[in-house]
Amino acid sequence: MFERLSEKIQRVLKDLRGQGRITESNISSALREVRMALLDADVNYQVAREFVNTVKQKALGEEVLLSVTPGQQVVKIFHDELVALLRGGESGQVQQVQIALPGNILLIGLNGAGKTTTAAKLGRYLQRQSRRVGLVACDLARPAAIEQLATLGEQLGLPVWIPPKGEKNVINNAKSAQEWAKREGFDATIFDTAGRQEINEELLEELVNLRNAINPSEVLLICDAATGQAAVNVAERFHSVVGISGCILTKLDGDARGGVALSLRKVTGVPIKFCGTGEKLDQLEFFYPERLAGRILGMGDVVSLVEKAAQAIDEREAEEMQRRLASAKFDLNDLLAQMQLIKKMGPLENLLGMLPGLDKIHTLKADERQFRRTEAIILSMTPQERAKPEIINARRRRRIAAGSGVTLSEVNNLLLQFQQMRKMMRKAGGLQKLLKRMKHLPPIAHFPKL
């Protein structure tokens, strides 16, 4: 996400850091490029202009001009102002966005924004906080939406309210669902509503009536980040009529521009509370302005990376892995387990983007295709071959290559790299130390308390 914007801003900041002295001339030149980069990323024109003017005013202040490292001071100003823009407050203000619980959560938005999937993702998020959650199908215009929500709820083990057959009245359905939720004692009841291809009076009237009927503690607008500035216009219209308490950005991982995230809070005045970063049901993240600003400026987001690792790593598995390494029993089964653990943490491209500097090193760009090929090679081996790679002779290698659909040289390369890896572990014990440290990672409860 934000690849185009991030690359351009980082290039400008690199040039500024190389300046021995910050002047009005070089800061103005740099900020012209920044403004063009923001507009190219589909940031609202007024928002881009205000951002650039604020940065310029602060960058030409006495504290920067007399600093020993003026370039670094400018980078800090950029970071603070990006945080302020994403947060919607002053740059120094600490603000923790909350979800009002217990209560009803009303999800609204246009067709295709991802409301139904987001309802399930949000349910999963709250479920992992030990909250009792129920999902309510309120899209009576699209039967497929009801079936989709029921399927997702079943996958996650979340109860789902299915409208009675033939029910056409959204308000009656919502009131019946409320009675059901009250009996079940849910902490959060998430209402998935109907959308349209565009905003019209019929849709707005239905949503206003539904809001009045269920009195939600949260009205969250689901915005497709890939639609850019159009999403901001949609948010303005929904907020003016229905009244929204926050936004959830979907498909943020597929948007190289990111302008909607930078414009939304400033234009609407409501916070972005979550963002969808992938198709899987656990790929909904709490929206942290500070972390996102760091990623845009190439500073990485190590905190989020550690949290993902803590969620994916089972402490007992880590202890067992450490024991096997200590006794030099690390085999291809263990390598496969580690690869699958990494996959659980999300797309490799996203993980590398959280490490400072790696997003700019193209040779380290994650090759998902190669990752899958390596996994296929190991899965084509017998259990005995994975446990004892040394028994894999030329005939077995040819069979493995044919079974996994790769070349013989790829199989040979994997086995050679594995032998070198195991030799290094036995010699230096580097990974053993890493796993030992991983045992002391904080527990999985890294979610913001809602």
Side-chain angles (χ1 to χ4, degrees), residues 95-116:
Q95 178 178 336
Q96 178 68 56
V97 176
Q98 302 288 343
I99 291 288
L101 293 177
N104 297 325
I105 300 175
L106 182 64
L107 303 187
I108 65 176
L110 298 182
N111 279 346
K115 289 191 301 299
T116 304

Side-chain angles (χ1 to χ4, degrees), residues 164-178:
K165 194 171 182 179
E167 179 64 80
K168 298 295 182 184
N169 189 299
V170 174
I171 305 304
N172 289 342
N173 177 62
K175 288 181 177 178
S176 299
Q178 276 192 294

Side-chain angles (χ1 to χ4, degrees), residues 112-115 118 121 222-227 248-255 260 274-277 284:
K115 289 191 301 299
T118 302
K121 286 183 175 183
I222 313 303
C223 291
D224 181 348
T227 59
I248 298 179
L249 281 181
T250 62
K251 308 174 189 176
L252 195 59
D253 57 313
D255 181 28
V260 60
F274 293 91
C275 56
T277 57
L284 182 73

Side-chain angles (χ1 to χ4, degrees), residues 66-355:
L66 299 180
S67 170
V68 178
T69 56
Q72 295 295 344
Q73 293 283 350
V74 172
V75 172
K76 183 180 185 304
I77 290 170
F78 263 92
H79 179 268
D80 290 347
E81 292 309 313
L82 271 177
V83 171
L85 186 60
L86 290 164
R87 184 187 285 149
E90 293 299 324
S91 55
Q93 178 184 351
V94 177
Q95 178 178 336
Q96 178 68 56
V97 176
Q98 302 288 343
I99 291 288
L101 293 177
N104 297 325
I105 300 175
L106 182 64
L107 303 187
I108 65 176
L110 298 182
N111 279 346
K115 289 191 301 299
T116 304
T117 304
T118 302
K121 286 183 175 183
L122 183 57
R124 172 61 170 160
Y125 187 100
L126 297 172
Q127 182 188 50
R128 293 178 73 174
Q129 286 191 319
S130 301
R131 303 282 190 173
R132 285 182 50 77
V133 184
L135 305 178
V136 175
C138 268
D139 186 351
L140 305 185
R142 192 168 66 94
I146 299 173
E147 295 171 12
Q148 182 187 1
L149 191 65
T151 301
L152 294 173
E154 186 178 358
Q155 289 177 17
L156 297 173
L158 292 173
V160 180
W161 169 265
I162 304 298
K165 194 171 182 179
E167 179 64 80
K168 298 295 182 184
N169 189 299
V170 174
I171 305 304
N172 289 342
N173 177 62
K175 288 181 177 178
S176 299
Q178 276 192 294
E179 293 174 5
W180 165 74
K182 188 175 181 179
R183 290 194 302 269
E184 296 292 331
F186 295 133
D187 297 311
T189 309
I190 302 172
F191 289 75
D192 176 35
T193 64
R196 301 288 190 277
Q197 289 301 317
E198 58 184 23
I199 300 177
N200 58 35
E201 294 306 316
E202 182 187 1
L203 170 64
L204 293 173
E205 183 180 0
E206 179 180 295
L207 292 175
V208 168
N209 291 337
L210 183 57
R211 180 202 64 195
N212 294 340
I214 67 172
N215 190 28
S217 58
E218 294 278 358
V219 180
L220 301 178
L221 177 67
I222 313 303
C223 291
D224 181 348
T227 59
Q229 193 57 41
V232 179
N233 298 333
V234 167
E236 280 191 288
R237 179 71 173 136
F238 272 111
H239 188 40
S240 64
V241 179
V242 183
I244 59 178
S245 58
C247 300
I248 298 179
L249 281 181
T250 62
K251 308 174 189 176
L252 195 59
D253 57 313
D255 181 28
R257 298 172 303 173
V260 60
L262 294 172
S263 304
L264 201 55
R265 178 65 196 259
K266 182 74 173 178
V267 173
T268 64
V270 298
I272 302 171
K273 297 201 172 186
F274 293 91
C275 56
T277 57
E279 297 179 0
K280 295 181 181 178
L281 294 178
D282 59 355
Q283 290 180 321
L284 182 73
E285 298 181 1
F286 204 74
F287 189 82
Y288 289 100
E290 296 83 357
R291 300 185 190 183
L292 193 56
R295 293 181 71 173
I296 292 173
L297 298 180
M299 298 173 181
D301 182 5
V302 177
V303 175
S304 291
L305 183 60
V306 170
E307 289 183 356
K308 283 180 178 290
Q311 294 163 28
I313 292 169
D314 183 277
E315 189 172 342
R316 284 175 296 180
E317 289 179 6
E319 288 177 351
E320 173 63 17
M321 182 65 68
Q322 183 188 354
R323 186 187 64 76
R324 291 177 62 79
L325 286 170
S327 58
K329 289 183 178 178
F330 185 82
D331 59 27
L332 285 165
N333 285 310
D334 299 312
L335 179 60
L336 180 63
Q338 293 304 300
M339 292 175 65
Q340 291 171 341
L341 183 149
I342 291 170
K343 285 173 66 177
K344 283 167 62 179
M345 292 170 61
L348 295 178
E349 191 78 18
N350 290 355
L351 298 182
L352 288 181
M354 294 179 184
L355 295 171

